[in-house]
Amino acid sequence: MRKTSILLAAALCLCLFAGCAPQQQPEEKDPYAEIPVEYELERAEHEDEGLALYFQHAFVKTPRTDTESTGRDTYKMYMGRNEIETMQFLLSAEDAREGYSAEMTAFAAQGGEELSAELFKLRYFDVNYEQIPDALCPYGAGESFDLEGGASQAFLVRVKTLPETAAGEYEAALRIRDAAGREVKRARVFLHVWDFTLPEETSCTVSMDMSGYEIARVSGRGDLYKNYYDFLLENRICAYELPYDIFSEEAEAYMSNPRVRSFNLSKFGSDAAYMARAAQRMAENPVWAEKAYFYYVDEPLDEADLNEIARYGAMLEGAYPGYRMVSPFFTPGTVQATGEDYVSFMADYINIWCPKASLYTTDEDYMTVDGAKQPFFESWQETENGTFRERMEAEAAGGDTLWWYTCWDPTAPYITLNTEEKGVNHRILFWQQKYFGVEGFLYFSVNEWDAGSDSWTSHEKFNSESQTVWGDGQLIYCGTQLGLDIPVASLRLNSVRDGIEDYEYLTMLEAQIGTAAVNELISKITTGIVSYASDDDLFAAWRVRLGNYLEAELAG
C-alpha cells in the first residue's frame, strides 16, 4: 500500500473504530468530513420578510403543513462525473402568495464551465392524513405558481454531469420573484464535482416491471413504451422487457448498451421451442447472454409452485443450457406439505436468487428489534446448513447471482419503497444491499396504476399485514396530463437512483480498500436489515464523506 493510502486508511479507521454511535456526525478532525461553505448571505432587492426560503436534502419528504425552516439558507451538492444529483428548496408564508416564480442560473465554475440546472415543482398526495410530496413535475423558469398560506411548497433542483465534466467548485444563484416581477428572495447555492467518473455499467443490477398496457391505457397512446424505458434507463433502472422484440435488429443496440444490465426473456414464450430459439439468439453475443434471464414463477407458496419451477427448469436445461432463471420468494423455509427445505429444492433450478430483503432477519434481530419477523429458517435447518445469509453467500460463491426485492410489506422496521416511509430509507436500502453482498434489486412494478385512474392518485392499498400503504408499485406518473411524452418521476424514484449511485461509490471504494473496510464504513449507517440510522443529516454527512474518501483513494 502506498504511504499516502496508509495515512488515509489510518484516518478512516480512527473514525470508524472509535465507537461512534449511528446518530453521530463524522468527527470534526476527520479529513474526509464536509467543510462548511464560506459565503456571504445576499438579500433580494425587494426582500420579502414574510416569505421563507430554505433548503433541504433531496430525499426528505416534507409534509405540506410543515412550515418550520431547516435553517439552511444555502445548500451544497456533491457528485461525481456521469451522475445525477439533486437538492430541494422550500417556500412558505403565513399568508397566501399568488403569481410568484422561481429561476436559477447555471452552476458556473471559475474556469468558465457551466452545468445547467433543471427545476421541478413537487406535487402532493394524501398519505396517512398528510399531504406528502412525491411527483416531480417539470417547472419552467419564470413559470407562475401560487403559495398557500400556512403551507410549504417544495421544489427540486437537478444537475447532471457528463464523463468529461471538469471536477471542482461550481456556484449558481436562485431568485424568487413576485407577481410584479420583483426579486423578493435570493440565495447562492454550491456544487462540488469530485474527480472521479461513475461507469455506464452499474454494479447494481436493477430490474423493475413496467406495463406497456397501462402506459397506453392512461396516456391514450401505444407508442410511448420506448420513451418510458429510456427514462428509467437514464435513472439506471432496467424495465423487465426491452422496447423491442429480442429477435429484432432494433433490440441489439439495447442488449449491447452497458446501462442495460438485465432483460426478461419470459414475455415472449414459455415452451421449449421458444427457449431454444432464445438460446440461439443470445449465443450470438456473450454480453447479451449475461444479461438475459427467465422469470416464470413469482413468489412460490407451496409444492405446486415449486413443481412449476422444476418443470420450467427441466425445459430450460434441455433447450437453453446455461440459462438464468429467477423466482422471487418470501415464504417460510420449509414446504408446508412436505417439510422440504425451500432453498435445497430451488437450488437445482434457480441460479438468480431473489429473496425478499426481510429474509435477512437474524435471531438477534428477532429478539431485540420491535416488529422484526421470525428468521426464514427453522433451527434444524440452520444447524444443518447455516444461516440464511450464509446459504445465500454460498450460492453466490458457487457461481449463482444474488438479487433481492422489497414489496408493500413487511413495513417498519423493514424498508420499502412506500410513499409514507421516511425518504432517506429508500437510499439506505442500497447501502444494506451492499452490506449483505447482494448484486441486484428487483421490484414488481413502477406503474401499477389504479384501474380507471389517470395515475395521479395516492394509490392506497391494504397489504398482507392489514395495513394501508401508499405508492406501492407506483414509482412514476403518466406524463400525458402535463403534455409530456415521458413519465413524471416520483421523489422515491429519485432516491432509488441516488441509492444505486451510492452503491457504485461503495463498489468503487471496495476495489481500493477491500470489502471489510467498506462494510465498516457502511456500518455507520446500517448494520442489519432492521438496524439503520434515521437521521437525515447523518446520512448526508456520511455520503459526502464517502465521496471525499473515494476521491482521495483514487488519486493515490
Side-chain angles (χ1 to χ4, degrees):
M1 181 182 288
R2 298 178 299 275
K3 182 178 180 181
T4 52
S5 293
I6 293 173
L7 294 174
L8 295 174
L12 173 67
C13 292
L14 176 64
C15 182
L16 292 180
F17 293 103
C20 302
Q23 267 63 40
Q24 290 179 326
Q25 300 290 339
E27 296 180 4
E28 290 183 6
K29 294 183 180 180
D30 175 7
Y32 310 114
E34 180 178 11
I35 299 174
V37 179
E38 293 185 4
Y39 66 100
E40 227 176 274
L41 184 63
E42 298 180 351
R43 289 176 60 83
E45 183 180 356
H46 302 277
E47 183 74 21
D48 184 348
E49 300 292 352
L51 178 67
L53 166 65
Y54 45 98
F55 294 83
Q56 183 56 284
H57 308 304
F59 49 78
V60 176
K61 305 172 185 177
T62 304
R64 185 186 286 277
T65 55
D66 183 354
T67 59
E68 183 178 356
S69 172
T70 61
R72 296 188 182 94
D73 51 32
T74 189
Y75 198 90
K76 186 172 184 178
M77 293 190 289
Y78 293 80
M79 62 194 305
R81 291 186 288 261
N82 199 30
E83 185 175 7
I84 295 172
E85 188 59 28
T86 54
M87 68 177 183
Q88 289 186 57
F89 67 87
L90 294 95
L91 297 167
S92 65
E94 286 300 315
D95 55 324
R97 300 285 203 276
E98 294 183 353
Y100 273 50
S101 63
E103 59 185 46
M104 193 164 189
T105 67
F107 281 85
Q110 287 188 348
E113 183 161 359
E114 291 188 344
L115 294 171
S116 61
E118 296 178 88
L119 297 184
F120 299 82
K121 183 170 178 277
L122 273 67
R123 184 180 292 194
Y124 294 75
F125 298 88
D126 292 320
V127 175
N128 201 21
Y129 305 106
E130 287 188 301
Q131 285 269 301
I132 300 296
D134 195 47
L136 306 179
C137 303
Y139 172 81
E143 182 180 330
S144 176
F145 61 83
D146 299 333
L147 297 174
E148 294 182 17
S152 60
Q153 175 62 57
F155 292 80
L156 189 94
V157 179
R158 179 182 186 267
V159 177
K160 180 179 180 179
T161 53
L162 302 174
E164 60 270 20
T165 296
E169 303 295 334
Y170 293 74
E171 182 177 337
L174 171 66
R175 296 183 176 88
I176 308 299
R177 299 186 184 277
D178 64 12
R182 299 177 303 176
E183 181 186 273
V184 293
K185 285 291 178 184
R186 176 190 299 180
R188 296 169 64 188
V189 288
F190 304 89
L191 168 67
H192 177 79
V193 178
W194 282 306
D195 191 16
F196 58 78
T197 305
L198 298 192
E200 280 292 283
E201 183 176 3
T202 58
S203 300
C204 177
T205 300
V206 180
S207 188
M208 299 187 178
D209 192 23
M210 181 170 66
S211 170
Y213 169 80
E214 280 296 284
I215 296 170
R217 178 185 70 80
V218 176
S219 70
R221 293 177 54 180
D223 62 338
L224 296 182
Y225 184 86
K226 180 182 181 300
N227 293 357
Y228 278 54
Y229 184 96
D230 291 344
F231 182 90
L232 292 182
L233 198 59
E234 184 185 32
N235 288 279
R236 299 186 180 270
I237 294 168
C238 295
Y240 286 176
E241 280 86 35
L242 297 169
Y244 300 104
D245 187 305
I246 61 168
F247 301 106
S248 67
E249 290 185 10
E250 293 87 347
E252 294 181 4
Y254 279 95
M255 293 189 291
S256 299
N257 186 331
R259 283 218 173 194
V260 177
R261 296 277 282 123
S262 65
F263 50 89
N264 182 6
L265 297 176
S266 307
K267 175 182 178 181
F268 303 104
S270 59
D271 57 72
Y274 164 74
M275 294 172 182
R277 187 176 173 225
Q280 185 176 15
R281 175 61 163 163
M282 293 302 107
E284 295 177 21
N285 189 325
V287 171
W288 304 348
E290 291 176 0
K291 303 175 181 182
Y293 69 92
F294 293 89
Y295 179 0
Y296 288 120
V297 180
D298 183 52
E299 297 186 325
L301 295 174
D302 51 29
E303 189 176 12
D305 291 337
L306 291 176
N307 287 336
E308 277 293 277
I309 291 175
R311 184 174 72 85
Y312 283 115
M315 291 173 63
L316 285 165
E317 186 62 38
Y320 192 143
Y323 73 90
R324 301 169 73 236
M325 184 165 67
V326 66
S327 181
F329 63 100
F330 71 94
T331 47
T334 57
V335 184
Q336 186 173 359
T338 65
E340 187 174 5
D341 180 279
Y342 257 87
V343 171
S344 297
F345 183 98
M346 291 193 293
D348 290 335
Y349 313 102
I350 294 298
N351 43 38
I352 300 178
W353 293 91
C354 190
K356 186 176 280 191
S358 58
L359 298 190
Y360 279 84
T361 306
T362 65
D363 289 317
E364 183 179 358
D365 292 334
Y366 178 59
M367 296 296 293
T368 60
V369 178
D370 186 34
K373 303 296 181 183
Q374 286 187 320
F376 179 74
F377 289 136
E378 297 178 17
S379 58
W380 68 266
Q381 292 170 288
E382 290 197 4
T383 300
E384 290 187 8
N385 302 303
T387 65
F388 183 77
R389 181 178 182 178
E390 290 170 343
R391 294 186 68 179
M392 291 296 98
E393 289 174 344
E395 296 295 342
D400 287 355
T401 300
L402 182 55
W403 294 357
W404 71 4
Y405 76 105
T406 61
C407 197
W408 57 10
D409 62 5
T411 51
Y414 299 93
I415 295 176
T416 72
L417 300 185
N418 296 342
T419 312
E420 72 273 15
E421 189 160 344
K422 191 173 174 64
V424 69
N425 292 358
H426 309 319
R427 288 185 72 163
I428 291 175
L429 177 63
F430 290 88
W431 290 55
Q432 291 183 334
Q433 182 179 321
K434 186 62 183 177
Y435 185 77
F436 285 109
V438 177
E439 177 185 327
F441 178 74
L442 181 143
Y443 194 64
F444 78 102
S445 175
V446 297
N447 66 331
E448 188 185 57
W449 299 328
D450 285 335
S453 80
D454 61 359
S455 85
W456 293 83
T457 69
S458 57
H459 199 59
E460 296 178 37
K461 286 184 179 179
F462 286 101
N463 68 10
S464 61
E465 298 174 331
S466 298
Q467 297 172 323
T468 302
V469 297
W470 290 263
D472 175 57
Q474 183 177 346
L475 298 181
I476 59 174
Y477 301 87
C478 183
T480 306
Q481 185 183 104
L482 304 183
L484 303 173
D485 290 341
I486 59 173
V488 170
S490 64
L491 196 59
R492 293 166 294 137
L493 183 84
N494 194 68
S495 294
V496 166
R497 184 208 58 247
D498 288 342
I500 296 166
E501 291 175 336
D502 291 344
Y503 187 102
E504 196 65 46
Y505 281 39
L506 294 165
T507 302
M508 293 169 69
L509 184 59
E510 181 182 35
Q512 300 296 313
I513 66 174
T515 302
V518 164
N519 281 346
E520 285 292 343
L521 189 154
I522 295 173
S523 70
K524 297 304 174 183
I525 297 299
T526 180
T527 56
I529 200 64
V530 291
S531 302
Y532 49 91
S534 60
D535 186 276
D536 297 327
D537 293 339
L538 172 80
F539 177 84
W542 277 99
R543 187 262 177 182
V544 171
R545 191 186 183 288
L546 167 62
N548 287 340
Y549 184 54
L550 175 59
E551 182 180 53
E553 270 297 310
L554 291 173

